[in-house]
Amino acid sequence: KVLARAHRITRDNLAILAAWVSREPKITWVKPKSGTTAFLKYDLPMSSRDFCIELLEQEGVMFTPGSAMDMEGWLRIGYACPTDTLKAGLVRVSRFLAKRAA
């Protein structure tokens, strides 16, 4: 029962994340086939560390900078959280991206 619940959450959240990525012009990715994390490529003139620090300070959303894994220009997102948390966080990330792109 626990495993089935976890699979349902991650599958549902991955679908939500995929829909969000398709709507975000500054974000691309290679959709994961399994797991609970994904890497997002962003199109902004800033380091991944600066991106993550500013996102956390301005919107309260935490990603892992790609630079921590020798993947500068990428961000690591976990999506095994409550669905409402993911949705709210993605709204905040979209707001951050819109401000940075303006």
Side-chain angles (χ1 to χ4, degrees):
K1 287 182 182 182
V2 172
L3 189 55
R5 178 183 174 274
H7 282 151
R8 181 180 40 78
I9 290 168
T10 55
R11 277 192 309 270
D12 292 350
N13 285 357
L14 180 57
I16 290 165
L17 182 57
W20 177 81
V21 168
S22 73
R23 294 187 307 268
E24 271 306 328
K26 295 289 184 186
I27 300 290
T28 57
W29 72 339
V30 176
K31 183 179 176 183
K33 294 181 184 194
S34 64
T36 60
T37 62
F39 287 94
L40 308 175
K41 177 81 172 147
Y42 64 94
D43 182 20
L44 291 171
M46 62 192 313
S47 72
S48 59
R49 182 179 185 280
D50 289 345
F51 183 109
C52 289
I53 289 170
E54 288 185 30
L55 178 64
L56 182 59
E57 289 175 348
Q58 294 175 24
E59 297 293 342
V61 175
M62 188 169 68
F63 286 163
T64 302
S67 61
M69 295 154 279
D70 292 326
M71 294 178 63
E72 186 55 69
W74 292 79
L75 308 162
R76 183 174 177 261
I77 180 175
Y79 55 88
C81 56
T83 300
D84 290 343
T85 301
L86 178 65
K87 288 178 179 179
L90 293 175
V91 167
R92 291 174 177 208
V93 176
S94 289
R95 185 168 51 219
F96 176 81
L97 291 168
K99 285 187 233 174
R100 293 294 305 182

